[in-house]
Amino acid sequence: MKIGIIGTGAIGGTIAKKLVAAGHEVKVHSAGEYDSLKKRAQELGASPSTINEVVSNVDVVIVSIPTKAIPDLPKDLFADVPDNVIVVDTSNYYPFRDAKIEALKNGKVESIWVAETLGRPLIKAFNNLLAHSLEYGSKPEGAEGRIAMAVSGDDDKAKMIVSDLINDAGFDAVDAGSLSQSWRHQPGTPAYCTELNVTELKEALADGIKENAADLRDLAISKLMEHTTQPSHEEILALNRSLFPKNPKGL
Ligand SMILES: NC(=O)c1ccc[n+]([C@@H]2O[C@H](COP(=O)([O-])OP(=O)(O)OC[C@H]3O[C@@H](n4cnc5c(N)ncnc54)[C@H](OP(=O)(O)O)[C@@H]3O)[C@@H](O)[C@H]2O)c1
């Protein structure tokens, strides 16, 4: 497929690498100078693109930038992009890091806010695994212990296409329902960055409690900040899992 990715950081860059390796044609755009984008694109096996090129002549656009940067994208970015082009949102909102976005602070489902801000329906995916899991946790289809990723949205066909891309990236996909249900894989839920298999992820998605998510998200951050050195991937994973003792991989 032809894929445009906005953001070449830990998530966008890793998705680009995995999808290039799976045989997709990938172009990328990021905020910095064109020369550094060109260098990064070369590392990823992708083509560097302007913001308008990255959404043109593609089947899927993956938006993988910090939540606070979403309103900075051009207002008319998708105006001429045909309806059948799928837009994917990978974002997670952290108030300590992102701008104080009132609607999100008040509990609006994050990807609904992103869809409204971009003026475009979208699929939420690639948000519920840590960048380290995405980079190093991929396995071939059918492999034992393959990690699962949640995908939400209101268009079943688009979700199936995104699920195929998730599979190509080395993960099983679990349909988490409509976009309004996508809070089930936002930060502070048992499905969020806990590295589960399909059966476990389905259970975790069902177990989330919307009203508790923001407090648990902030608790996880404050516990991580207690570390005097950068916590390892295993420590972050263990902390996330410990917040949900009922989970198969909880305490
Ligand atoms: N890191 C994780 O473990 C993780 C896991 C799941 C989901 N996520 C979510 O995925 C999204 C991306 O995260 P990340 O960790 O990849 O972030 P990151 O490493 O900080 O990379 C962010 C990327 O976004 C680009 N960018 C920023 N503002 C932009 C703009 N206005 N226009 C175009 N590009 C812009 C940056 O460009 P430059 O390179 O030019 O600065 C950079 O390439 C975030 O919403 C994050 O919450 C992160």
Side-chain angles (χ1 to χ4, degrees):
M1 299 193 95
K2 291 182 179 176
I3 297 163
I5 303 182
I6 305 175
T8 58
I11 297 297
T14 306
I15 297 171
K17 244 188 303 185
K18 304 257 173 200
L19 295 184
V20 167
H24 296 285
E25 198 178 308
V26 179
K27 46 187 173 177
V28 290
H29 173 79
S30 69
E33 295 292 323
Y34 192 74
D35 277 353
S36 47
L37 171 65
K38 221 165 119 183
K39 193 162 160 252
R40 180 71 173 138
Q42 203 167 16
E43 284 165 14
L44 300 172
S47 317
S49 300
T50 65
I51 187 68
N52 290 316
E53 282 166 359
V54 82
V55 301
S56 303
N57 190 25
V58 288
D59 304 298
V60 177
V61 176
I62 300 177
V63 181
S64 191
I65 64 177
T67 306
K68 69 176 175 195
I70 302 268
D72 299 337
L73 292 174
K75 298 286 165 261
D76 58 351
L77 184 59
F78 293 102
D80 296 327
V81 175
D83 289 347
N84 63 349
V85 174
I86 300 165
V87 180
V88 178
D89 169 39
T90 77
S91 70
N92 294 308
Y93 177 60
Y94 282 98
F96 84 95
R97 180 195 66 185
D98 292 307
K100 300 271 178 287
I101 300 167
E102 258 340 280
L104 298 182
K105 276 176 63 196
N106 293 335
K108 184 160 213 158
V109 175
E110 293 169 17
S111 286
I112 290 192
W113 178 85
V114 176
E116 287 172 1
T117 305
L118 295 179
R120 179 85 185 192
L122 48 79
I123 302 295
K124 186 179 191 80
F126 292 101
N127 84 299
N128 80 311
L129 287 184
L130 293 164
H132 185 284
S133 313
L134 186 62
E135 178 141 25
Y136 301 108
S138 52
K139 288 187 177 177
E141 192 173 0
E144 177 126 4
R146 200 179 199 218
I147 300 168
M149 201 184 278
V151 50
S152 300
D154 301 326
D155 178 336
D156 287 341
K157 188 171 165 220
K159 274 196 284 196
M160 279 171 61
I161 292 169
V162 174
S163 297
D164 286 344
L165 293 179
I166 291 171
N167 184 42
D168 288 348
F171 301 89
D172 287 332
V174 170
D175 187 339
S178 64
L179 202 64
S180 65
Q181 290 293 307
S182 65
W183 62 266
R184 293 182 182 279
H185 49 110
Q186 284 182 190
T189 63
Y192 181 71
C193 294
T194 43
E195 268 191 19
L196 305 174
N197 66 25
V198 167
T199 310
E200 293 162 344
L201 180 56
K202 283 182 181 167
E203 191 180 324
L205 286 163
D207 283 349
I209 299 173
K210 189 168 190 280
E211 293 68 32
N212 295 352
D215 286 346
L216 287 167
R217 170 199 67 202
D218 295 345
L219 177 66
I221 291 299
S222 65
K223 282 182 176 286
L224 287 174
M225 283 179 171
E226 286 168 11
H227 286 249
T228 47
T229 53
Q230 175 67 26
S232 67
H233 172 67
E234 286 66 31
E235 286 172 323
I236 300 171
L237 194 58
L239 167 63
N240 287 345
R241 288 173 172 177
S242 74
L243 299 172
F244 307 98
K246 180 174 174 285
N247 255 22
K249 288 197 170 124
L251 280 177

